[in-house]
Each structure stands twice: as C-alpha cells, then as structure tokens.
Amino acid sequence: MAKKQESKVIKMMKPYIICYMMTSVDGRIDCDMTAQLSGVNDCYTALNELDATTRISGRITAQDELAGGRLFKAQNQTPINHAGFSKKQLADSYNIVMDTRGTLLWENDINNLKPHLIITSEQVSQAYLDTQNISWIAVGTNHIDLTKAMDVLAREFKVQRLAIVGGGRIDGAFLDADLIDEISILIGAGADGRAQQPTLFDGRPVTRKPVPLSLKNVQSFEDGGVWLRYLVKNQNV
C-alpha cells in the first residue's frame, strides 16, 4: 500500500509594513497641495523617525518623482508569463516601485547605495527586464500578487521593514491584501475639498468592511501639523 505523502506548507514571510502619507484634514494626498500646508516641514522628519529606509511608491508617483517622466519603449513586448526575480545587488535599503507591466525607464544604478527594485506582474516583457539592469520581482499572472511579492522581498532581499509612500491606489491594495501593520499619517493644517482628488486609501471593493485600527501615538507640532500612528488590528506587530 502506497504511503500518502504529506504536503509541506511553507509559511509566507513579509516585512513590517508601514503606510506613511501626509494628508490634508480631509484625507487628500495630492503632493502639490500638501506642499502648501503648514506641517509640510515635519513630513520627512516624521518619516525618518519610522526607521523604514526601504520605501515603496506606486507607478504614478514614481513616474513623476523618481523616473523624471521617462517611459520604456521596446519593439518586443511579449510577456515573460512566469514568476521570477533577479538580484542585481543586495543593499541595506531599496527604492521599490510597483509597475505592473514595466513601463518606466530607469538609469543603471548598480553602484547606488539605495538601488531601485521593480515589482511587476508576469505580463512584463523580457526586453524590459534585460534592458533595465536593476533588481526586479515578477509575481502574479495579470496583476501583481502583493503577498507573494512581499514574501520574495523578505526571504530573498532580506527587507525587514519598509514604508509605503504613495499613492492612494497602492495604499488601498496593500490594505485590502491585509499586509499593512501600521498606518502613519501626518495631517497638515489645511483642507483641500477639491473634487476627484486622490485620497489616502482608494480602490477597495465596495463590499469590504472598514479595517479596525488601534491608536499607537499622537504627536502635534508647533506649525499645526498632527502625526497619528495606528496599528492595524489582527496583524503581527
């Protein structure tokens, strides 16, 4: 009689993940707007106190703030259609960019102390991965599988702590995937109120319930800014 083989369950790993943003009092996060608020001078002071030097940006934020608007173009856009990763170099911290199909153009930063690391889906082209000459993780058939990406990030790149720094869609995706451990919000002394402006969290399905939080700390600044730190309940913190 053949002995039944027991399947081995591998526990997924992840870094400690902090969602950090500066907002107006009505939760808007447009950078040009928040730059005009009292409290903006405390923005990076608070971020640095979180001790999360590896930081994640969404594609739209990264295109404007990190890639200088440069886009990748190639004749062969055939997707790789398989999961994988490449470590061009190990570093103490990374500038991580979520780019589902591989659209942003980067310079070679092989000697950068804080190199880029692109997280993409299996729809990325081999031409993109070969040309960029930077570290990458590709997981998820049509969309990035955030849980698997964080597992690779922790297991292979040894990232233990990171901050998500924009924007609302990427914040909402991590929140919906139950991956955020802490939410850190610096509220500037001002209200936006404009229609159709990006918010702190966006894009969760309408059937989802609110995510419960536990207040960790409140700090106010002389210029009117308020720094709120919450732990996400039911997380390993």
Side-chain angles (χ1 to χ4, degrees):
M1 182 176 179
K3 184 178 179 180
K4 183 178 180 180
Q5 293 185 347
E6 296 181 0
S7 60
K8 186 177 180 180
V9 177
I10 299 176
K11 184 179 179 181
M12 301 294 281
M13 297 176 63
K14 65 178 285 296
Y16 184 89
I17 300 176
I18 305 168
C19 177
Y20 176 83
M21 296 294 291
M22 181 175 179
T23 77
S24 58
V25 295
D26 49 340
R28 309 297 180 86
I29 61 171
D30 175 64
C31 292
D32 291 337
M33 178 274 298
T34 57
Q36 303 175 54
L37 301 181
S38 296
V40 69
N41 293 332
D42 302 308
C43 184
Y44 284 100
T45 299
L47 176 58
N48 291 334
E49 287 187 24
L50 294 175
D51 191 27
T53 54
T54 289
R55 294 164 188 174
I56 292 182
S57 300
R59 180 187 60 79
I60 295 175
T61 299
Q63 180 173 332
D64 295 334
E65 298 184 7
L66 299 175
R70 296 185 299 271
L71 298 177
F72 175 81
K73 296 180 181 180
Q75 291 182 343
N76 187 356
Q77 294 289 348
T78 303
I80 61 171
N81 288 325
H82 65 81
F85 66 91
S86 175
K87 291 185 285 187
K88 299 300 183 183
Q89 67 174 342
L90 281 174
D92 293 332
S93 57
Y94 296 90
N95 276 318
I96 301 175
V97 176
M98 313 296 289
D99 190 357
T100 302
R101 296 180 180 271
T103 59
L104 301 183
L105 181 63
W106 303 96
E107 296 180 357
N108 186 341
D109 61 0
I110 196 68
N111 295 317
N112 195 331
L113 294 177
K114 189 174 181 179
H116 290 88
L117 194 163
I118 308 304
I119 298 181
T120 185
S121 74
E122 296 164 35
Q123 292 300 305
V124 69
S125 69
Q126 190 65 52
Y128 179 86
L129 300 177
D130 291 342
T131 302
Q132 298 297 299
N133 197 30
I134 55 180
S135 299
W136 55 267
I137 299 171
V139 283
T141 304
N142 295 307
H143 304 282
I144 296 172
D145 187 321
L146 292 177
T147 300
K148 290 182 179 179
M150 294 303 101
D151 180 67
V152 175
L153 197 61
R155 195 182 303 275
E156 303 294 342
F157 290 86
K158 310 305 179 186
V159 174
Q160 299 180 350
R161 189 178 178 91
L162 63 83
I164 310 169
V165 293
R169 285 280 179 176
I170 195 68
D171 294 346
F174 271 86
L175 187 70
D176 202 53
D178 198 26
L179 291 170
I180 295 178
D181 299 286
E182 180 177 337
I183 297 174
S184 181
I185 311 168
L186 180 64
I187 302 176
D192 186 2
R194 294 173 298 158
Q196 300 179 339
Q197 294 302 304
T199 59
L200 178 60
F201 293 103
D202 201 0
R204 297 181 75 218
V206 296
T207 55
R208 296 291 195 265
K209 295 181 179 180
V211 175
L213 307 175
S214 175
L215 184 62
K216 179 179 181 179
N217 190 56
V218 179
Q219 181 178 346
S220 61
F221 298 97
E222 292 183 359
D223 57 9
V226 178
W227 185 17
L228 304 176
R229 296 180 68 180
Y230 291 94
L231 297 179
V232 180
K233 291 187 176 181
N234 301 321
Q235 293 282 343
N236 296 320
V237 296

